[in-house]
């Protein structure tokens, strides 16, 4: 269940809960006896907010139904489940790529508890070939829905339709906006602190922070809709805690959560983010083309199976490779921004979120001292971060 922090949980009424249960069970005669909320985990599962679990007890039954909560950029996720996803899912016939949303209101969302279907966070996604391939297949199915939707809308309106025009207020860039006023409030407070940390680490590893500064400026252009590469609705936050796997099947199935940072941009930005945040440099170099082929084949197959207009066209493997190389700086840059924080010891992250300012403290605090201290006492963390910075610096030097 997702709750807007600006609204009290009391806005969740018995009537709302009843709607959820009836939708879940497909039975309009069921009655609710009791319901309650509890933390989904003791650890911080998402950096945009907390997770809660809604438990519902049905009258004359011991059945309990659990739902997951992810709080954060609530308006974006509300719009995604209320408007964007229904459009993408029209006539879709394939494996799910996100949770089912049983109820979408401005105050909260109620979604299926993926744990009930044996979906869990990966214990070790890093360099896990089977799970990386599963995630890329899910990503391809998600992106295919954008391509098919645009083909359908283009045929319907008898003129080219692009989804960023269809949802002009909801697919804007969140992390690297070109709007100066947004950049002042978002980038200068949140991302700039992280960038300054990267510059400091580059200097400590004897790499040119000046070249990296120039590279970072290009991010504001890279995340725009491309005039060359295929644009789709991108997830925008494909790190390990937003990917859940069902490993009970012969082949693991993946679904995505947290659609709060959607962007309309080149499809390979999601591929780059996924691989750069969840694989090591040597492993990625060894498997990159294999992974992009898996993604490309699934994208083409999904479009063929779901395009009733026979007009939707998937970018080819060669086109995806070309875009991936052209925009590689995006993956390396995001890795340098994300990994120093998300690879910290979980106790350190919990302490940041449990501090006096909670969420704001964790996101906006300068973490330079914390990061360098942890590098001194954790050699494997230091080595991973050093490789990330060196790869970024190599790209910047070119």
């Amino acid at each position: 269940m997702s709750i807007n922090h600006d609204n009290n949980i009391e806005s969740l009424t018995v009537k709302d809960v009843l709607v959820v249960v009836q939708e879940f069970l497909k039975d309009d005669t069921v009655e609710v006896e009791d319901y309650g909320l509890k933390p989904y985990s003791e650890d911080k599962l998402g950096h945009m907010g907390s997770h809660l679990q809604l438990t519902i007890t049905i009258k004359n039954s011991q059945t309990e139904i659990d739902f997951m909560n992810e709080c954060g950029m609530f308006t974006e996720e509300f719009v995604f489940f209320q408007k964007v996803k229904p459009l993408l899912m029209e006539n879709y016939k394939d494996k799910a790529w996100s949770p089912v949303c049983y109820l979408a209101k401005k105050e909260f969302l109620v979604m299926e508890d993926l744990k009930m279907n044996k979906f869990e966070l990966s214990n070790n996604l890093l360099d896990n070939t089977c799970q990386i391939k599963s995630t890329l297949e899910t990503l391809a199915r998600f992106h295919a829905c954008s391509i098919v939707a645009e083909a359908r809308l283009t045929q319907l309106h008898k003129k080219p339709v692009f989804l960023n025009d269809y949802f002009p207020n909801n697919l804007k860039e969140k992390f690297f906006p070109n709007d100066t006023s947004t950049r002042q409030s978002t980038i200068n407070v949140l991302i700039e602190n992280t960038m300054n940390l990267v510059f400091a680490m580059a200097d400590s590893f004897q790499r040119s922070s000046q070249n990296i500064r120039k590279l970072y400026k290009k991010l504001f252009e890279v995340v725009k809709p491309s005039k060359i590469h295929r644009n789709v609705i991108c997830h925008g936050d494909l790190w390990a805690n937003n990917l859940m796997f069902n490993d009970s099947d012969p082949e693991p199935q993946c679904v995505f959560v947290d659609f709060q940072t959607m962007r309309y941009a080149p499809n390979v930005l999601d591929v780059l983010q996924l691989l750069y945040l969840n694989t090591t440099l040597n492993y990625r170099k060894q498997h990159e083309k294999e992974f992009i082929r898996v993604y490309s084949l699934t994208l083409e197959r999904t479009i063929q199976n779901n395009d009733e207009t026979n007009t939707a066209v998937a970018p080819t493997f060669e086109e995806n490779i070309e875009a991936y190389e052209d925009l590689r700086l995006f993956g390396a840059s995001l890795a340098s921004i994300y990994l120093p924080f998300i690879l910290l010891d979980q106790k350190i992250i919990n302490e940041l979120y449990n501090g006096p300012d909670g969420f704001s403290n964790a996101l906006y605090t300068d973490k330079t001292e914390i990061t360098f201290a942890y590098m001194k006492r954790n050699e494997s963390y230091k080595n991973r971060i050093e490789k990330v910075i060196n790869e970024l610096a190599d790209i910047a030097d070119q």
Side-chain angles (χ1 to χ4, degrees):
M1 175 176 170
S2 296
I3 302 172
N4 187 345
H5 279 307
D6 295 333
N7 293 276
N8 193 292
I9 186 55
E10 291 178 359
S11 59
L12 177 67
T13 66
V14 175
K15 184 178 179 180
D16 294 326
V17 175
L18 182 60
V19 169
V20 170
V21 175
Q22 291 175 346
E23 176 66 21
F24 178 81
L25 297 177
K26 306 301 179 185
D27 180 359
D28 58 8
T29 65
V30 70
E31 296 183 55
V32 173
E33 182 175 287
D34 194 17
Y35 65 94
L37 287 165
K38 62 181 179 180
Y40 203 73
S41 169
E42 292 182 1
D43 289 333
K44 193 74 186 64
L45 297 180
H47 297 299
M48 290 297 179
S50 60
H51 290 239
L52 298 176
Q53 187 176 68
L54 171 64
T55 302
I56 304 171
T57 305
I58 302 169
K59 285 189 177 180
N60 303 319
S61 171
Q62 297 300 312
T63 303
E64 293 189 352
I65 306 172
D66 296 335
F67 300 88
M68 187 167 66
N69 170 290
E70 303 127 18
C71 310
M73 295 180 183
F74 186 82
T75 300
E76 294 302 325
E77 194 149 27
F78 165 68
V79 170
F80 174 77
F81 281 105
Q82 187 194 50
K83 297 181 180 179
V84 179
K85 187 182 177 185
L87 180 69
L88 298 183
M89 294 293 289
E90 189 173 322
N91 300 321
Y92 177 72
K93 304 176 290 291
D94 216 315
K95 292 181 180 178
W97 39 261
S98 76
V100 176
C101 181
Y102 296 113
L103 182 64
K105 298 185 71 174
K106 290 185 178 180
E107 296 83 5
F108 54 79
L109 303 173
V110 182
M111 293 178 284
E112 69 173 311
D113 179 7
L114 292 169
K115 285 188 175 180
M116 290 181 64
N117 293 322
K118 300 181 180 179
F119 280 89
E120 296 179 345
L121 296 175
S122 174
N123 290 326
N124 186 20
L125 177 60
L126 187 69
D127 293 355
N128 184 321
T129 299
C130 197
Q131 290 188 342
I132 294 293
K133 285 184 176 181
S134 173
T135 307
L136 285 165
E137 290 170 351
T138 298
L139 183 61
R141 289 191 288 270
F142 171 49
H143 287 170
C145 288
S146 282
I147 296 173
V148 170
E150 286 190 338
R152 186 174 64 249
L153 292 169
T154 292
Q155 189 177 71
L156 176 66
H157 295 286
K158 302 187 186 312
K159 65 177 182 179
V161 174
F162 303 100
L163 291 176
N164 60 328
D165 295 326
Y166 218 72
F167 300 104
N169 298 318
N170 305 108
L171 297 177
K172 293 180 179 179
E173 178 60 32
K174 280 77 171 178
F175 287 132
F176 306 103
N178 289 284
D179 177 13
T180 305
S181 61
T182 306
R183 191 182 303 176
Q184 287 292 329
S185 62
T186 305
I187 296 302
N188 285 354
V189 178
L190 175 57
I191 298 298
E192 189 171 312
N193 278 345
T194 310
M195 288 180 174
N196 287 334
L197 169 60
V198 173
F199 302 149
M201 290 190 293
D203 290 335
S204 73
F205 296 134
Q206 285 79 54
R207 301 305 302 260
S208 171
S209 60
Q210 279 301 113
N211 286 348
I212 293 176
R213 287 177 190 272
K214 295 176 183 177
L215 187 71
Y216 272 169
K217 290 180 181 179
K218 294 183 179 181
L219 283 174
F220 295 92
E221 298 301 316
V222 167
V223 296
K224 290 181 179 180
S226 175
K227 296 180 180 179
I228 303 171
H229 307 301
R230 190 56 164 97
N231 299 304
V232 297
I233 295 179
C234 292
H235 181 280
D237 198 14
L238 294 175
W239 70 295
N241 278 17
N242 287 337
L243 315 173
M244 298 189 74
F245 298 89
N246 180 347
D247 287 329
S248 62
D249 295 334
E251 295 182 0
Q253 182 181 349
C254 173
V255 295
F256 302 152
V257 297
D258 283 3
F259 291 84
Q260 301 162 354
T261 55
M262 298 178 294
R263 57 166 61 95
Y264 185 78
N267 62 315
V268 296
L269 294 192
D270 268 352
V271 179
L272 281 158
Q273 185 178 42
L274 172 68
L275 295 183
Y276 268 81
L277 294 189
N278 301 291
T279 65
T280 57
L281 174 60
N282 292 338
Y283 176 86
R284 188 168 58 252
K285 284 184 175 181
Q286 182 181 353
H287 295 282
E288 264 179 348
K289 287 191 176 180
E290 172 192 359
F291 286 152
I292 296 173
R293 189 175 297 279
V294 167
Y295 167 83
S296 300
L297 289 173
T298 306
L299 183 66
E300 182 179 4
R301 184 171 58 249
T302 306
I303 289 175
Q304 289 175 349
N305 292 342
N306 291 277
D307 176 29
E308 297 180 350
T309 70
N310 293 318
T311 60
V313 179
T316 64
F317 167 70
E318 291 76 16
E319 288 170 336
N320 285 326
I321 285 287
E322 181 182 355
Y324 187 92
E325 292 296 343
D326 188 30
L327 303 176
R328 185 183 288 275
L329 69 93
F330 177 80
S333 298
L334 279 199
S336 71
I337 290 170
Y338 269 70
L339 293 181
F341 182 41
I342 65 179
L343 293 180
L344 286 172
D345 185 275
Q346 186 64 52
K347 290 182 179 178
I348 297 175
I349 294 174
N350 287 346
E351 288 174 2
L352 286 170
Y353 275 101
N354 293 331
D357 297 318
F359 180 76
S360 296
N361 181 65
L363 288 184
Y364 300 127
T365 297
D366 183 343
K367 305 176 189 66
T368 303
E369 185 176 339
I370 293 172
T371 304
F372 275 91
Y374 192 58
M375 279 199 292
K376 283 185 178 179
R377 66 176 189 267
N378 189 312
E379 192 67 23
S380 62
Y381 173 84
K382 178 185 176 182
N383 291 338
R384 178 90 186 275
I385 298 302
E386 185 171 7
K387 288 181 179 179
V388 168
I389 299 299
N390 280 332
E391 183 179 8
L392 177 69
D394 288 342
I395 294 173
D397 291 346
Q398 294 171 10

